[in-house]
Amino acid sequence: MPALFVPALALGAIGVLLYHVVAYFTSPLKDIPGPFWAKITDLWRFIDHYHATQPITQRRLHDELGPAVRIGPNAVSLSDPSLLKTVYSTRGHFLKSDFYTVNDAVQDGHVIQNVFGTRSNAFHGKYMRPIQKLYTMTSILTMESLIDRTIVSLCEQLENRFMSGKNAGKTCDIADWIGFYAWDVVGEITFSQPFGFLKSGNDVKSMIHTAESVMHYFGVVGQMPVLDKFLGKNPYSPIKLPTFANAAGFCAQRLMERLSNPDLEKGQGQKDFLGRFLEAKQQYPDVVGDNEVIGYLLLNMLAGADTTAITQKAIIYFVLRNPQVYQKLRAELDAASLTFPTAYDDARKLPYLEAVIQEALRIHPPVGNVLERVVPQSGLTLPDGRTIAPGTIVGMNQWVVTRNKELFGEDVDIFRPERWLCGENEAEEEYSIRIKKMKEYDFSFGGGNRICTGRFLATAELFKVTSTLFSKYDMELEDPSQEWTVHLWWFVFVDNIKVKLSPRAEKAK
Ligand code: HEM
């Protein structure tokens, strides 16, 4: 038997090689340029993602090879923004790819889909319908006092630990504290109960770290989803992989507590998300059961905390690195005489603040991968006439599109909020054409029928926290020559923003 093993292995290897050679020469994507190994195997992009270099690689390849680049035997990265509305259409003709199935959870041996990961429009429509209205700006603003509670808690912690008594002048890693805030606010609006990160000043039970590891796994293994069957979805996998199991258990616990004691919803007169999901359960009993409620709760935690934290950190980092921006923002905030914490309705009227937020989302989008979709039966015709066959995985990486010089100007690598405003020598009409285009092709929150569910919640938070922190405190980088640490994963996590904080002498606190 062992004597046959080596020839069998050799035969197998020759078979695999032959398969790839034939696939290479007969591929309907022959006309699309790309690295040699990318045309042969998905291992090429798996390795690129493993090394966390994919946004840089993809940007370089698009610069060298044009708007369509092979990144896998059956995968094409696109960079022409005029295709955004086609690939990410509101009618959802281009379904999400298998990449997203890696995100599915396994419970008692069964794969459980969720509204983020599902490939099915029918599933998505069915389970989004009961909760869609909870995420409109009007609905989010009914929960504003829950956000305020967490902002007050953030400020209390920052003042006690870094600005008063013997702690005055102590260095603060604001990246950590924004992370704690972003998770606690999700706890507050979802369960009327923060997770306790701000209070403890720690990553309680390593929840944040685990979520980061899960996202890393998702982004890398998602390049070859078949591997997930042997790893994450394999109950006998010898490798212990990070999972959402603890987070799901946490949500299940909160649900059980609430069902046995509805008074736990101690929001100031308004319902939190859990209360609203339970209403949806009553209203749509055929669709929403306890498992679905747990799924919705989990999505708030896993899609809502890190994304918002990353953007908030980017805003602070880039404002601090650009003293002119800092001064302009500060002047606008002071002139507005804001309350503490800033009311969203006041903050949203401030054009420079809005430009700062938009520019941070442009220069540092929180998602660093191609948002993969599958070409439908009708195929895809590129603007230059080339066609992409049905079944091909296509998509765009925000880190490529947001660096498009025709759209955003030659200085795309620079943080310049002014690009979102009317220039001093720019005619009003010229500006309105330019800004319309920039906004039309801005897909920081994704697009089409799978656009980010939580975009209004994120927007309200970013306006409120940015305006509150910059009007209440003086903030500077401890060492302006020190750059932050960036991890180019599926979520582009950032750490290490060391600052000095002090309360403002007077004026707009
Ligand atoms: C600045 C903050 C945020 C950014 C930049 C962001 C970005 C995105 C992007 C780009 C997508 C599309 C992903 C894809 O097509 O693969 C997405 C989807 C999603 N986001 Fe967000 N997000 C943010 C905050 C939030 C928050 C606060 C929540 C919830 C509380 C949330 C919930 C979701 C959900 C549920 C989806 C899946 C939507 C679907 O497939 O129908 N996000 N987000």
Side-chain angles (χ1 to χ4, degrees):
M1 206 52 180
L4 287 180
F5 182 71
V6 174
L9 202 69
L11 218 72
I14 292 170
V16 171
L17 191 72
L18 265 177
Y19 168 82
H20 284 301
V21 170
V22 172
Y24 176 81
F25 284 109
T26 57
S27 169
L29 300 174
K30 275 198 312 282
D31 291 349
I32 310 293
F36 173 76
W37 286 108
K39 295 177 185 174
I40 302 282
T41 168
D42 282 321
L43 205 56
W44 176 84
R45 58 186 175 128
F46 179 93
I47 294 170
D48 198 26
H49 283 72
Y50 180 78
H51 290 305
T53 41
Q54 77 284 353
I56 299 162
T57 309
Q58 286 164 12
R59 198 177 159 197
R60 177 179 52 77
L61 289 174
H62 279 293
D63 283 348
E64 288 170 9
L65 303 174
V69 171
R70 272 302 264 290
I71 53 167
N74 188 39
V76 175
S77 167
L78 302 169
S79 70
D80 187 332
S82 70
L83 289 170
L84 272 170
K85 294 270 181 293
T86 309
V87 176
Y88 305 98
S89 79
T90 44
R91 304 187 66 181
H93 290 317
F94 286 61
L95 299 179
K96 284 190 170 179
S97 73
D98 272 347
F99 166 79
Y100 292 89
T101 59
V102 176
N103 188 260
D104 293 339
V106 181
Q107 225 167 13
D108 304 328
H110 298 289
V111 173
I112 314 282
Q113 294 187 57
N114 61 54
V115 289
F116 168 73
T118 185
R119 303 191 57 215
S120 151
N121 280 338
F123 180 99
H124 183 258
K126 180 175 170 188
Y127 290 100
M128 278 307 285
R129 205 163 301 118
I131 58 159
Q132 194 100 49
K133 62 177 184 296
L134 307 182
Y135 291 88
T136 60
M137 189 53 102
T138 312
S139 168
I140 294 300
L141 290 181
T142 63
M143 289 185 249
E144 189 168 2
S145 68
L146 295 173
I147 303 176
D148 284 346
R149 259 196 338 223
T150 318
I151 298 179
V152 169
S153 175
L154 169 68
C155 291
E156 275 170 9
Q157 293 298 331
L158 293 178
E159 285 171 23
N160 291 339
R161 292 173 187 257
F162 305 102
M163 290 184 243
S164 53
K166 63 177 175 19
N167 290 334
K170 218 170 136 185
T171 302
C172 164
D173 190 338
I174 195 78
D176 285 348
W177 287 90
I178 291 299
F180 299 155
Y181 153 80
W183 277 84
D184 268 354
V185 80
V186 167
E188 192 71 81
I189 57 168
T190 308
F191 315 105
S192 293
Q193 193 181 332
F195 295 106
F197 295 116
L198 283 171
K199 201 167 161 206
S200 69
N202 265 310
D203 179 5
V204 186
K205 295 187 186 157
S206 279
M207 264 165 93
I208 301 181
H209 176 73
T210 306
E212 287 180 3
S213 306
V214 176
M215 287 303 172
H216 191 201
Y217 172 86
F218 175 44
V220 176
V221 173
Q223 305 311 308
M224 296 181 83
V226 68
L227 294 181
D228 185 46
K229 295 192 180 19
F230 303 101
L231 297 168
K233 303 281 184 296
N234 173 10
Y236 309 106
S237 169
I239 311 168
K240 190 161 166 25
L241 293 155
T243 69
F244 289 145
N246 281 349
F250 180 89
C251 292
Q253 235 176 331
R254 296 289 85 76
L255 171 64
M256 293 312 144
E257 278 169 15
R258 180 68 60 87
L259 289 175
S260 58
N261 181 5
D263 289 345
L264 283 173
E265 188 173 24
K266 43 189 188 318
Q268 294 159 11
Q270 73 286 75
K271 284 201 176 303
D272 55 21
F273 269 106
L274 175 49
R276 293 169 200 227
F277 293 150
L278 288 172
E279 281 179 353
K281 182 181 157 192
Q282 280 184 339
Q283 209 180 341
Y284 298 87
D286 298 341
V287 181
V288 184
D290 287 347
N291 280 341
E292 284 66 33
V293 171
I294 294 170
Y296 293 147
L297 295 171
L298 197 56
L299 265 189
N300 266 15
M301 280 171 68
L302 302 172
D306 281 327
T307 43
T308 315
I310 292 167
T311 309
Q312 189 63 64
K313 292 177 198 181
I315 293 170
I316 294 176
Y317 178 74
F318 284 108
V319 169
L320 295 182
R321 284 189 79 83
N322 291 277
Q324 281 169 327
V325 174
Y326 183 99
Q327 296 309 335
K328 266 190 178 173
L329 178 63
R330 178 55 86 65
E332 183 181 72
L333 295 172
D334 284 356
S337 304
L338 301 166
T339 51
F340 169 72
T342 313
Y344 173 70
D345 273 342
D346 294 336
R348 76 186 173 91
K349 294 181 192 135
L350 305 177
Y352 198 70
L353 172 64
E354 183 179 359
V356 164
I357 294 171
Q358 274 174 319
E359 182 66 349
L361 277 163
R362 183 195 70 79
I363 202 160
H364 191 97
V367 180
N369 281 23
V370 166
L371 305 183
E372 292 186 6
R373 299 294 188 266
V374 178
V375 176
Q377 270 316 308
S378 49
L380 171 67
T381 305
L382 301 179
D384 61 14
R386 283 178 295 175
T387 53
I388 309 259
T392 307
I393 295 168
V394 293
M396 297 189 201
N397 187 330
Q398 296 173 322
W399 282 73
V400 173
V401 178
T402 58
R403 264 56 175 189
N404 183 310
K405 291 184 178 168
E406 275 171 42
L407 266 184
F408 297 105
E410 284 300 312
D411 58 352
V412 283
D413 290 315
I414 289 173
F415 180 79
R416 190 172 61 83
E418 287 71 14
R419 81 179 76 246
W420 297 92
L421 301 168
C422 189
E424 265 175 34
N425 300 317
E426 188 174 31
E428 194 60 47
E429 200 183 333
E430 207 183 311
Y431 166 68
S432 64
I433 294 170
R434 186 172 65 81
I435 193 76
K436 185 165 172 265
K437 224 164 129 193
M438 278 165 66
K439 290 200 170 167
E440 191 179 330
Y441 295 137
D442 167 26
F443 85 132
S444 348
F445 288 105
N449 70 329
R450 306 303 292 269
I451 195 168
C452 174
T453 312
R455 61 197 183 282
F456 297 116
L457 171 59
T459 304
E461 282 190 53
L462 296 172
F463 272 83
K464 286 171 70 65
V465 174
T466 309
S467 54
T468 300
L469 292 183
F470 280 104
S471 54
K472 198 167 163 61
Y473 306 121
D474 283 326
M475 209 188 307
E476 58 183 351
L477 290 168
E478 181 186 45
D479 174 2
S481 67
Q482 173 82 46
E483 294 198 358
W484 61 354
T485 311
V486 176
H487 309 272
L488 291 165
W489 299 346
W490 158 254
F491 280 172
V492 185
F493 291 106
V494 292
D495 329 298
N496 190 24
I497 311 174
K498 303 257 171 32
V499 300
K500 296 282 184 192
L501 286 161
S502 53
R504 301 240 355 239
E506 242 336 290
K507 192 124 171 104
K509 274 195 177 182

